[in-house]
Every structure is written in structure tokens, then in C-alpha cells.
């Protein structure tokens, strides 16, 4: 399983990109301005 970090994952592009990456089998970590730690999805 490949890992991906999405910076700005709660923004407009991230809300479409993250579900597509998870659906394709990637392990995704989301990093946004409102959090100090990455969120693993």
C-alpha cells in the first residue's frame, strides 16, 4: 500500500481528491491549517 500526504485536505480540491485516493487503495494522511497533527484516513 502506498502512502500519500495531502496538504490542505479539507479544502475544495482535497474533498474530491482524498476519497478518490482512498478508493484507489492509497493510505492517505490529511494535513490542514486547523490541525497540528496529520489525520490518517
Amino acid at each position: 500500500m502506498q502512502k500519500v500526504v495531502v496538504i490542505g485536505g479539507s479544502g475544495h480540491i482535497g474533498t474530491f481528491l482524498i476519497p478518490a485516493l482512498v478508493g484507489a487503495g492509497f493510505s492517505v494522511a490529511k494535513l490542514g491549517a486547523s490541525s497540528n497533527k496529520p489525520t490518517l484516513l
Side-chain angles (χ1 to χ4, degrees), residues 3-34:
K3 298 177 184 179
V4 177
V5 175
V6 177
I7 299 171
S10 60
H12 181 71
I13 294 173
T15 58
F16 292 98
L17 180 64
I18 291 174
L21 289 169
V22 171
F26 288 90
S27 174
V28 179
K30 176 181 80 169
L31 184 62
S34 62

